[in-house]
Structure formats: structure tokens, C-alpha cells
Amino acid sequence: LGLWAAGLMGKSEEEADAYAKEVIKADFEEAGDDDVFRKVRADFDAAGVDQSDHQLRRQMDDLLAEAVTQLENEG
């Protein structure tokens, strides 16, 4: 999610890697994914990225499903 968001914000590869780590850290603030949503939403707003809450939530859901599939295929 962090790399996807960083791409939309026009960050360089190095900045994208650092941003992805920030998103991971945000996930430890509270249970669930609302902490991550709030961080990315605020960053999108600050950067002028045109993504609705629905689009952001859908991307979060899609990437979670992809991650679960990847983990299942590894086992």
C-alpha cells in the first residue's frame, strides 16, 4: 500500500521505500487498519492526490487479498 500511495504522490524510488516503512509503522498505532487509512488519506490530501475514501479503501482491500493469496501459495 505504501509503495502504491508513494507512486501516486510522485515519490522517487528511495522516497517510496521510506514512505512504505512509515505506513507499516502507522499500522502499529492501533488494531485494525483505520490508522493506516488515516495516514494515507492525510498524506494524499496534503499532496493533492485525487483519490476518494472509497478508492483508497478498495485498494487497501485488494492489496490485502493479494498478500493473503501470496502467503497461501508460499505454504
Side-chain angles (χ1 to χ4, degrees):
L1 179 70
L3 293 175
W4 169 79
L8 292 177
M9 290 186 281
K11 294 186 181 289
S12 69
E13 186 175 338
E14 185 176 298
E15 291 170 328
D17 288 339
Y19 183 75
K21 290 175 184 172
E22 289 177 26
V23 172
I24 291 168
K25 288 178 187 175
D27 193 29
F28 293 109
E29 291 177 10
E30 61 187 49
D33 61 5
D34 286 339
D35 45 1
V36 172
F37 174 84
R38 282 193 305 273
K39 176 184 181 24
V40 175
R41 171 82 272 150
D43 293 343
F44 276 179
D45 291 345
V49 174
D50 185 24
Q51 289 281 308
S52 69
D53 288 356
H54 174 77
Q55 290 169 315
L56 176 53
R57 288 275 185 200
R58 182 173 175 166
Q59 186 67 14
M60 290 173 70
D61 291 344
D62 289 350
L63 290 172
L64 177 60
E66 183 180 325
V68 168
T69 298
Q70 287 174 358
L71 288 173
E72 288 173 344
N73 289 336
E74 287 180 8

